Amino acid sequence: MYLRHLGYACKNVTLGLDTGRSFRLASLTPERVRDTVAMNLDALEAILRWNVQQNIRFLRVSSDVVPFASHPASSFDWEAAFAERLAEIRDYAAAEGVRLSMHPGQFTVLSSPRPEVVEAALADLDWQARFMHALDPDEGTLTLHAGGAYGDKPSALERFAYNFRRLSPLAQRMLILENDDKVYHADDVLPLCERLGVPMVFDFFHHRVFHADGRREAGLLDVLARVVDTWGERVPKFHLSSAKEGGPRTAHADLVLEADLQAALDLMAQVGGDRPFDVMLEAKQKDCAVLPLVGFQQAHLAPSP
DNA sequence: GCGAGTCAAGGTAGG
DNA sequence: CCTACCTTGACTCGC
């Protein structure tokens, strides 16, 4: 397999632009939401144009792009107000072959035993699926973690599966599941993905943090092959970070070491098959982590026929 | 203009 | 029971 796109998340350090500016709930008015969404979409388009100039074609849009979108106190209809603007950006991204994604945050939990938490998560995933569909209907994804364990992981997984089926068809189609660094590792997430027919985004860094002793490396190729299978005809997506030196072992570094990317590419080469995959770099310095690796990425693209 | 206090939301680990 | 951590700063107020 060969690397297609490298991407980064939510904001651009070089340009000083952020797709997820927000404000306090106390300041919530329809006008404030409208102004903020307009600003975030302008930032998104400027970032996309800069990215294309740098040959970067993969970006995560912040889940705050529409502040309080699923909050009961908000009545702003972003779909009606920004239909044309979203279509413009969608057309630009499509013309340039740009892939987009979103990643609902830590509060979006489908496995929770608390009904109000699950209801909020369903509403959250629903609007983000519609937003993602408006921008990247073909390859857009919503990345989610499996949530908490609550002292009984099998029951939590059952709740996840049950609540997954309560999502809108669009949200079900856009959702993908990621292994985390302390509760649901790849061996938990992969069977869930296979059971639900949901693609799995494999996070190399979380996997390494979880298996710090290295003893999981033996079966890793089999896991990766199954991860790729969960994507069917779609292009698989991976997450990669380097460890922050001296920080907590789960912390992301400012940049991504070329050696860490190379290690991931070596593994993927061993998985085999002539098909592409994308890698989202999760690093503090965002675009600055991707830039030095773009040339590296070009060298690993499949040769043109 | 600036520094300090605060922010919608969940969950885990450790004391 | 409480705090720090994931994340993740940056918004908002009061001076």
Side-chain angles (χ1 to χ4, degrees):
Chain A
M1 295 186 65
Y2 64 92
L3 175 62
R4 182 180 68 164
H5 298 323
L6 282 178
Y8 61 96
C10 301
K11 61 183 177 184
N12 182 295
V13 173
T14 305
L15 299 173
L17 292 173
D18 188 339
T19 61
R21 298 289 295 274
S22 188
F23 50 83
R24 303 275 174 96
L25 179 59
S27 312
L28 178 67
T29 63
E31 295 72 29
R32 186 72 191 267
V33 180
R34 182 197 62 211
D35 293 349
T36 306
V37 173
M39 190 168 62
N40 287 337
L41 291 180
D42 286 350
L44 172 61
E45 186 178 5
I47 291 172
L48 289 178
R49 290 183 182 278
W50 184 90
N51 281 358
V52 167
Q53 283 177 7
Q54 317 298 327
N55 216 0
I56 296 172
R57 288 183 162 75
F58 189 21
L59 183 76
R60 179 188 304 167
V61 180
S62 169
S63 294
D64 276 332
V65 65
V66 182
F68 303 102
S70 59
H71 193 283
S74 183
S75 59
F76 183 73
D77 185 352
W78 58 269
E79 280 176 296
F82 287 95
E84 286 180 36
R85 187 77 181 103
L86 289 164
E88 281 174 11
I89 299 174
R90 175 199 65 205
D91 290 345
Y92 175 74
E96 295 292 348
V98 170
R99 184 183 203 176
L100 297 170
S101 69
M102 289 175 87
H103 193 336
Q106 68 221 86
F107 304 111
T108 305
V109 185
L110 286 179
S111 57
S112 177
R114 296 170 51 196
E116 68 274 21
V117 172
V118 172
E119 293 306 318
L122 294 171
D124 206 35
L125 290 166
D126 186 52
W127 87 259
Q128 289 189 48
R130 284 184 281 121
F131 190 91
M132 199 74 268
H133 184 73
L135 284 180
D136 186 358
D138 294 329
E139 292 203 300
T141 52
L142 299 181
T143 303
L144 193 67
H145 291 286
Y150 315 92
D152 181 358
K153 212 183 260 190
S155 296
L157 287 169
E158 281 312 306
R159 280 195 300 274
F160 187 100
Y162 177 81
N163 290 321
F164 170 79
R165 297 191 177 98
R166 297 176 58 204
L167 286 166
S168 68
L170 186 64
Q172 288 192 31
R173 199 170 78 227
M174 298 213 130
L175 196 75
I176 64 178
L177 272 171
E178 178 186 355
N179 55 309
D180 65 61
D181 55 9
K182 52 169 173 282
V183 182
Y184 291 99
H185 49 112
D187 290 338
D188 295 314
V189 176
L190 185 51
L192 182 64
C193 285
E194 289 171 340
R195 170 183 167 191
L196 297 177
V198 169
M200 173 167 166
V201 50
F202 182 87
D203 188 309
F204 286 98
F205 180 65
H206 288 165
H207 186 77
R208 208 173 70 179
V209 168
F210 200 89
H211 300 293
D213 56 8
R215 86 196 136 74
R216 280 294 309 164
E217 297 306 311
L220 185 51
L221 280 181
D222 292 332
V223 169
L224 290 173
R226 284 169 62 193
V227 165
V228 170
D229 282 343
T230 63
W231 287 84
E233 301 296 307
R234 301 160 75 180
V235 176
K237 166 172 133 48
F238 293 81
H239 286 182
L240 179 70
S241 312
S242 291
K244 184 179 181 67
E245 291 204 41
R249 65 197 187 91
T250 55
H252 293 165
D254 288 350
L255 302 174
V256 172
L257 297 175
E258 188 175 305
D260 286 332
L261 178 59
Q262 183 64 64
L265 297 189
D266 288 346
L267 280 165
M268 296 312 295
Q270 290 179 64
V271 171
D274 182 27
R275 58 182 287 189
F277 61 93
D278 298 331
V279 175
M280 173 72 53
L281 300 183
E282 296 184 315
K284 293 267 185 217
Q285 290 300 311
K286 309 294 182 187
D287 51 294
C288 295
V290 178
L291 275 180
L293 296 172
V294 170
F296 181 84
Q297 171 233 350
Q298 294 297 310
H300 287 77
L301 277 173
S304 304

